[in-house]
């Protein structure tokens, strides 16, 4: 028995179709976080012999501007892997204070300029709402100042990672899975 979990209904359908086309297996598909594996398997009277947890996001999600995960494409500041999650990155940025934003960026993005980035976000949102990926990326690049020119990686990469992890509670889901 193969049970697939994914927050993203499109990716779950894709994985199911691939497995069906390449194997004789009829997978059981569950559109939830893998954090629910214990409860879902218990309700079905199943035990796992092996668990493979695919962490993070898929390239098709970053290549879809509407998902709000990309630095390359203009898109809404979303970052939800599950579109039904009530708080997206735009709301997280709009509702968090400077201390909370700093902690999110420092903890999940390990960005040494977390405080400076959070301050710049707070300043900018006081003038106008931050609604797009490119707007946020520009704010972060400005936070880096001249350091942005020397960076091999886009300065906003770590902050985008941090916001995605926070919005989707990725580490919380992993902790629940590991406790099962």
């Amino acid at each position: 028995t193969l049970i697939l979990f994914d927050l993203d209904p499109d990716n779950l359908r894709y994985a199911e179709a691939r497995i069906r086309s390449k194997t004789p297996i009829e997978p059981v598909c569950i559109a939830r976080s893998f954090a629910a594996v214990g409860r879902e398997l218990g309700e079905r009277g199943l035990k796992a012999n092996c668990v493979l947890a695919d962490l993070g996001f898929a390239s098709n999600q970053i290549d879809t501007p509407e998902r709000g995960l990309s630095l390359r494409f203009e898109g809404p500041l979303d970052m939800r892997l599950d579109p039904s999650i009530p708080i997206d990155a735009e709301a997280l940025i709009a509702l968090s204070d400077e201390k909370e934003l700093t902690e999110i960026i420092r903890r999940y993005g390990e960005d040494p300029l977390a405080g400076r980035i959070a301050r710049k976000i707070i300043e900018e949102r006081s003038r106008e709402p931050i609604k797009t990926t490119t707007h946020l990326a520009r704010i972060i690049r400005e936070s880096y100042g001249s350091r942005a020119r020397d960076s091999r990686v886009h300065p906003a990469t770590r902050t985008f990672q941090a916001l995605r992890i926070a919005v989707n509670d990725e580490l919380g889901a992993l902790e629940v899975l590991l406790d099962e």
Side-chain angles (χ1 to χ4, degrees), residues 116-134:
R116 182 185 294 184
I117 293 166
R119 264 189 308 283
K120 186 77 170 163
I121 289 171
I122 299 295
E123 288 172 16
E124 183 68 24
R125 81 172 189 206
S126 71
R127 288 190 282 278
E128 67 177 305
I130 303 167
K131 294 186 165 290
T132 66
T133 55
T134 53

Side-chain angles (χ1 to χ4, degrees), residues 76-109:
L77 197 51
D78 193 322
M79 299 191 186
R80 294 173 297 172
L81 300 178
D82 173 358
S84 72
I85 293 172
I87 301 291
D88 61 12
E90 179 184 342
L92 182 66
I93 285 174
L95 299 171
S96 299
D97 64 25
E98 184 177 330
K99 183 178 178 185
E100 291 166 328
L101 280 175
T102 299
E103 180 59 26
I104 288 168
I105 297 166
R106 182 173 289 127
R107 180 171 182 210
Y108 301 139

Side-chain angles (χ1 to χ4, degrees), residues 37-171:
V37 71
R39 180 175 41 248
E40 291 288 342
L41 293 182
E43 289 175 4
R44 289 170 168 76
L46 299 171
K47 289 186 178 184
N49 293 2
C50 176
V51 174
L52 172 64
D54 183 6
L55 308 177
F57 59 97
S59 62
N60 68 306
Q61 291 166 321
I62 202 166
D63 292 340
T64 306
E66 300 80 36
R67 301 302 298 267
L69 292 163
S70 178
L71 296 164
R72 296 182 301 161
F73 305 114
E74 172 89 13
L77 197 51
D78 193 322
M79 299 191 186
R80 294 173 297 172
L81 300 178
D82 173 358
S84 72
I85 293 172
I87 301 291
D88 61 12
E90 179 184 342
L92 182 66
I93 285 174
L95 299 171
S96 299
D97 64 25
E98 184 177 330
K99 183 178 178 185
E100 291 166 328
L101 280 175
T102 299
E103 180 59 26
I104 288 168
I105 297 166
R106 182 173 289 127
R107 180 171 182 210
Y108 301 139
E110 299 179 354
D111 196 311
L113 299 181
R116 182 185 294 184
I117 293 166
R119 264 189 308 283
K120 186 77 170 163
I121 289 171
I122 299 295
E123 288 172 16
E124 183 68 24
R125 81 172 189 206
S126 71
R127 288 190 282 278
E128 67 177 305
I130 303 167
K131 294 186 165 290
T132 66
T133 55
T134 53
H135 186 186
L136 180 60
R138 187 180 76 245
I139 292 166
I140 297 165
R141 181 178 285 284
E142 290 169 6
S143 300
Y144 265 72
S146 62
R147 293 183 194 190
R149 286 191 311 270
D150 301 328
S151 180
R152 292 186 343 259
V153 177
H154 193 291
T157 300
R158 290 180 178 188
T159 299
F160 272 54
Q161 170 186 293
L163 292 171
R164 187 201 78 234
I165 289 170
V167 164
N168 295 287
D169 190 26
E170 292 177 29
L171 295 182

